[in-house]
Amino acid sequence: MKPTNFRTLDLNLLRVFDEVMAERNLTRAARNLNMTQPAVSNALGRLRDALGDRLVVRSGYGVEPTPRALALWPAVSDALRQLEASFTPGNFIAAEATNTFVIALADATAGELMPGLVEIIERDAPGVSMRTLPLQTRDPRRLLDEGQIDLAIGYFPAVLADLSAQAQAGGLAGFDHQRLYEGEYVCVMREGHPLAKGRMTLERYCEAHHLLVSFSGRPFGFVDEALASLGRKRRIVLTVNQFFTAGRVVAVSDLLTVLPRHFVGVTGMAQQLTVRDLPFEVSPVHVDALWHRRQAQRSDHAWLRLAVAAAARKAFA
């Protein structure tokens, strides 16, 4: 590995590196930096020469980072965010801001929160933009650590347990969280399904055919874990990664699925669906906002968290 002379390193190159790592696309990075793409490519070339590493390689329509780039980026991103916060402390003015925030969340959560969040943006921060990404994991800490997202919203029981354990052990957790709302999972089927009437027993539930919503694509979820603890299992015919897709499919089939109760009302398909309580115990849904601690003192991020919390209060008032 080539040694780097930090004294002669052009620190402007790190801003380019940070933007390229965040976007994984030279054209978008150039647009965000108000530079031309050749200028971004030239800056990356100079940084490659200084660090002795390719940093990124072309992949499809964008670029993929090398292991060295992935190792460097958290430190670079942290330093740039801290400098930015130091130069503009408490300087976020919603009415004048032009920030773009990136949030990872499931479609069910987006369906509940986004209408209220858009209302807040239109009213209080007309220059602010929001990008949502599909939540594909129950542990989004890597995405937050790498700066790919500003906020993750979802059900993260293992993450919160780990953060609690770190705090009890006297360690400083790198992430903060806030409870937004609570709910429950229910069994959902089409109107007129044979199981829509009569007692929903564990036997009848397990004999039916099922649709699983899995963000990661893993064909085994918390319902299957609960059934396994009872010595039972179910037949999963289809696995999808969106709650809305699940609702559409079960509305026109004999498959059963499990959805957050609150989501059924925002699907636009409530009249086509029947909701039944599950015939066994599952943990309630605790939906939290999760963010990296380095963002805690940023006034723009504080506004984002307050706006999301306000949208959640309105949705579940």
Side-chain angles (χ1 to χ4, degrees), residues 10 14 21 27 32 64 74 83-84 115 130 154 187 202 212 223 226 230 241 255 273 277 279 282 286 293 300 305 314:
D10 183 352
L14 299 181
M21 289 293 289
T27 301
N32 295 345
E64 288 295 327
L83 282 171
E84 183 181 359
M130 202 73 62
C187 177
L202 180 60
L212 167 67
V223 167
L230 299 173
N241 65 358
L255 299 183
L273 300 172
D277 290 336
V282 294
H286 299 299
R293 181 157 286 178
D300 56 347
R305 300 194 303 267
K314 181 175 181 177

Side-chain angles (χ1 to χ4, degrees), residues 122-252:
E122 298 265 279
R123 182 189 67 219
D124 300 335
V128 165
S129 300
M130 202 73 62
R131 275 202 301 135
T132 65
L133 299 179
L135 186 67
Q136 298 178 322
T137 174
R138 292 292 187 193
D139 188 351
R141 284 178 288 185
R142 181 182 63 80
L143 298 174
L144 292 163
D145 189 42
E146 293 179 356
Q148 296 186 46
I149 59 175
D150 297 297
L151 200 67
I153 302 175
Y155 179 49
F156 310 124
V159 173
L160 300 194
D162 186 39
L163 295 180
S164 177
Q166 290 180 38
Q168 291 176 7
L172 180 62
F175 302 87
D176 286 324
H177 59 92
Q178 177 185 9
R179 179 65 42 83
L180 296 178
Y181 60 88
E182 297 183 2
E184 62 177 330
Y185 284 109
V186 291
C187 177
V188 178
M189 66 196 74
R190 67 171 174 84
E191 183 73 15
H193 191 284
L195 295 182
K197 295 182 179 179
R199 184 165 172 257
M200 172 67 83
T201 64
L202 180 60
E203 191 72 27
R204 296 181 78 195
Y205 181 86
C206 292
E207 287 177 352
H209 287 181
H210 296 261
L211 183 156
L212 167 67
V213 180
S214 171
F215 300 149
S216 66
R218 188 171 70 105
F220 190 86
F222 69 90
V223 167
D224 303 286
E225 293 173 354
L227 290 174
S229 71
L230 299 173
R232 307 300 295 267
K233 62 181 180 179
R234 60 178 177 164
R235 162 83 167 105
I236 297 174
V237 175
L238 177 66
T239 300
V240 301
N241 65 358
Q242 290 188 326
F243 289 117
F244 183 79
T245 302
R248 291 282 294 177
V249 172
V250 300
V252 295

Side-chain angles (χ1 to χ4, degrees), residues 262-276:
H262 63 80
F263 178 61
V264 176
V266 299
T267 61
M269 299 176 285
Q271 300 303 314
Q272 301 171 252
L273 300 172
T274 294
V275 174
R276 302 293 306 274

